[in-house]
Amino acid sequence: MARFSRQPVDVVLVGTQRAVPTGVEATRRLVSANPQANVIVFGAPDDAGSIAAAIAGGARGYLRWDASRPELVAALAHTLASTSVPAPRQPSDPGVQLTERELQVLRGMSQGKSNGQIGRELYLSEDTVKTHARRLFRKLGVRDRAQAVAHGFRRGLVS
């Protein structure tokens, strides 16, 4: 934490482990002391608790441990392009309900799966998955996958 204060960096990558709070706690402390910190957490796709805690603690996004090079580059580019995290738009109806298919897509996102992977599991084309994602983003009042997943964890839509 002190090193970041002396010499800030563009992005901090933090690893998480199931039932070990050090990565999540480090994220929370870093963002608390340095709100401008861009933190991306790495974790297991089935470790929803750590992912949710890290996002709630201020992480800008998450990646699976086995993320591909293109996924890592995309996450870094997105994080670097966003000098600040925009406030989520408020849903037009706070009691909005997602369809079962939208929930399935959100669950896939929360597991760090790509649109193609989600589509293969649900027997949908990648374009259809993107359509469901756009609809759920609009319903939740969010702008991207990371915000959708964080919102889903907060509302208990994914666990």
Side-chain angles (χ1 to χ4, degrees):
M1 304 316 148
R3 183 173 181 180
F4 184 88
S5 296
R6 286 192 311 271
Q7 184 177 0
V9 295
D10 293 325
V11 178
V12 178
L13 303 175
V14 176
T16 63
Q17 281 184 290
R18 190 181 334 275
V20 179
T22 53
V24 173
E25 181 62 19
T27 297
R28 189 191 62 71
R29 284 183 178 180
L30 180 62
V31 173
S32 177
N34 305 284
Q36 77 283 5
N38 291 315
V39 179
I40 297 175
V41 295
F42 281 93
D46 61 346
D47 188 10
S50 293
I51 293 168
I55 296 287
R60 307 268 176 155
Y62 75 93
L63 287 169
R64 296 166 29 149
W65 284 114
D66 61 351
S68 67
R69 176 179 238 137
E71 289 170 321
L72 176 60
V73 170
L76 291 171
H78 177 75
T79 301
L80 292 172
S82 303
T83 55
S84 64
V85 176
R89 297 174 298 196
Q90 294 302 313
S92 55
D93 176 9
V96 68
Q97 296 295 315
L98 299 180
T99 66
E100 183 59 32
R101 192 60 91 187
E102 290 164 346
L103 283 170
Q104 290 169 333
V105 170
L106 182 60
R107 285 184 198 113
M109 289 178 184
S110 75
Q111 296 167 353
K113 295 177 183 169
S114 69
N115 289 338
Q117 291 170 315
I118 295 168
R120 283 188 294 280
E121 287 184 6
L122 299 177
Y123 301 101
L124 300 171
S125 72
E126 189 169 344
D127 285 339
T128 300
V129 172
K130 289 178 184 179
T131 297
H132 288 300
R134 280 191 301 273
R135 287 180 183 154
L136 76 91
F137 292 171
R138 188 173 50 250
K139 285 181 178 182
L140 297 177
V142 299
R143 293 191 175 113
D144 58 33
R145 290 171 72 101
Q147 286 183 347
V149 169
H151 189 85
F153 279 121
R154 279 191 259 27
R155 286 190 56 198
L157 299 172
V158 291
S159 56

